[in-house]
């Protein structure tokens, strides 16, 4: 008995000495690289200089550098407060919102809308729209390449790469003149395999602010039609670029008039100031109504396992503004006010730069349009701006004009002149 007891004790001791361990599944996971835009904000926040300035983030500010909530949005909030239940929206989102969105994008009298040929779903802002397009391409055009402007919004590459779509560069920007490289762009369109996909910025190209003229858009449309290419428009700034929603949507209408069936991503972050609501719309113009029904069903099928259904509040806000003639007119006025302030700051920045750094030409500052100015500064010069002047922007020299105010524009110009000297 004593021997058996000793053996039992030894066995227990051995068990206690070798406890079970949980496998560390994530030991080899590296830290992800910092987002190039959000990383700027981190550096800005860490700077102790009370005079520091952030020209990196693409969010509108008034001339005092303060965030803005539009009056039409406040009124829409008042109208919908307590009016909606908190139930799930359908997978495709709020239909009334989608209907208003496609009318804004394609025009209320667009033939494709009258013929009920536009498949549309509510999305998680423009990023969500682009991701749905990438997944749709991967599923139904698996061998097609997506040509993107060089440069483009950095997240475009992440979205389409993670969506399983092969990306190809599209020459777009001419560095020596800070303008559109139209001939190279057309050459790339003509040389691309027939039936390729092209991501195009409908207006206010990010990050360059360089847009084709209407005549150039017409040439791009004709070249793409000749090669049976498909155009996907990312339209994050309708109304915010020029202050005129029709003018900012002109490229899409040119393509429709030429016979293209296009796709479009819309975001209401910039033009309604609904950044945190994550509200957007993804639409595809189809050949006929039957195709629209099939395409829209597949758009919903992709959305279902991704996020199930979109949020309610932002869609209700946008629908309230766009469906009420008085609120819509007020929004047109307010979005024009935001655009006009940006345009005014471009003029002032150019004026001060021509005074402080006359050795360079600065017409590109006012030739460009929208929230961003592609300054032409090198990454090293941008680094010096941060180190010596506590001014922060992305290293490609992109200035968020929303951060430029009457109170800091002269200081910015003088600092730029110092680092480029």
């Amino acid at each position: 008995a004593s021997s058996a007891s000793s053996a039992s004790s030894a066995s227990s001791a051995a068990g206690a000495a070798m406890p079970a361990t949980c496998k560390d599944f994530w030991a080899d996971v590296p830290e992800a690289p910092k987002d190039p835009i959000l990383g700027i904000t981190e550096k800005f926040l860490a700077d102790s200089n009370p005079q520091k300035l952030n020209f990196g983030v693409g969010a509108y500010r008034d001339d005092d550098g303060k965030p803005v909530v539009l009056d039409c949005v406040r009124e829409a909030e008042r109208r919908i407060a307590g009016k909606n239940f908190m139930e799930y929206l359908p997978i495709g989102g709020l239909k009334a919102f989608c209907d208003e969105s496609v009318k804004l994008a394609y025009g209320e009298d667009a033939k494709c809308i009258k013929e009920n040929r536009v498949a549309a779903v509510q999305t998680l802002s423009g990023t969500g729209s682009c991701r749905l397009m990438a997944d749709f391409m991967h599923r139904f055009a698996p061998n097609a390449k997506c040509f993107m402007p060089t440069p483009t919004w950095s997240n475009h590459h992440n979205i389409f790469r993670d969506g399983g779509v092969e990306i190809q560069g599209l020459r777009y920007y001419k560095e020596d003149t800070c303008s559109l490289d139209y001939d190279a762009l057309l050459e790339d369109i003509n040389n691309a395999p027939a039936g390729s996909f092209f991501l195009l910025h409908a207006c206010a190209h990010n990050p360059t602010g360089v847009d084709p003229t209407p005549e150039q858009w017409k040439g791009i449309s004709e070249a793409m039609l000749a090669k049976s290419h498909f155009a996907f428009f990312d339209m994050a700034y309708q109304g915010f670029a020029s202050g005129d929603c029709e003018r900012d949507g002109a490229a899409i209408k040119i393509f429709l008039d030429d016979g293209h069936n296009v796709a479009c991503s819309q975001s209401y972050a910039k033009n309604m100031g609904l950044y945190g609501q994550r509200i957007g719309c993804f639409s595809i113009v189809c050949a006929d109504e039957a195709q629209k029904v099939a395409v829209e069903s597949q758009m919903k099928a992709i959305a279902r396992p991704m996020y199930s259904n979109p949020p309610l509040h932002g869609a209700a806000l946008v629908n309230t503004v766009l469906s009420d003639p008085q609120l819509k007119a007020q929004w047109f006025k307010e979005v024009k006010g935001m655009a006009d302030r940006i345009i005014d700051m471009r003029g002032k920045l150019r004026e001060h730069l021509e005074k402080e750094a006359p050795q360079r030409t600065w017409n590109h500052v006012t030739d460009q349009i929208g929230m961003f100015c592609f300054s032409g500064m090198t990454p090293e010069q941008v680094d010096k701006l941060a180190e010596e002047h506590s001014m922060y922007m992305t290293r490609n020299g992109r200035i968020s004009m929303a951060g430029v105010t009457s109170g800091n524009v002269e200081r910015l110009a003088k600092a730029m002149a110092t680092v480029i000297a």
Side-chain angles (χ1 to χ4, degrees), residues 194-334:
S196 294
F197 284 65
F198 285 76
L199 186 155
L200 303 171
H201 299 231
C203 62
H205 179 274
N206 179 5
T208 70
V210 174
D211 286 355
T213 65
E215 294 74 23
Q216 289 171 332
W217 275 123
K218 178 70 173 174
I220 293 167
S221 170
E222 291 173 351
M224 289 185 61
L225 196 63
K227 291 294 296 281
S228 299
H229 294 323
F230 186 88
F232 169 53
F233 285 96
D234 188 358
M235 185 156 61
Y237 300 94
Q238 188 177 13
F240 191 93
S242 69
D244 183 334
C245 284
E246 286 196 19
R247 177 179 171 184
D248 291 347
I252 292 177
K253 294 177 180 62
I254 289 170
F255 273 64
L256 291 177
D257 289 344
D258 283 349
H260 290 271
N261 288 334
V262 303
C264 180
S265 162
Q266 291 170 269
S267 166
Y268 292 94
K270 308 297 194 298
N271 58 9
M272 279 198 191
L274 298 176
Y275 303 95
Q277 297 297 339
R278 310 312 295 144
I279 178 66
C281 184
F282 170 46
S283 58
I284 298 178
V285 178
C286 302
D288 52 44
E289 187 173 355
Q291 187 182 94
K292 172 243 180 175
V293 171
V295 167
E296 193 170 287
S297 73
Q298 293 292 351
M299 292 159 75
K300 295 173 184 177
I302 293 170
R304 174 60 170 156
M306 189 183 295
Y307 55 83
S308 196
N309 39 39
L312 170 63
H313 190 67
L317 289 174
V318 176
N319 180 57
T320 300
V321 171
L322 295 183
S323 63
D324 182 278
Q326 184 177 355
L327 280 184
K328 190 174 183 180
Q330 184 179 359
W331 173 58
F332 284 156
K333 181 179 179 180
E334 290 185 272

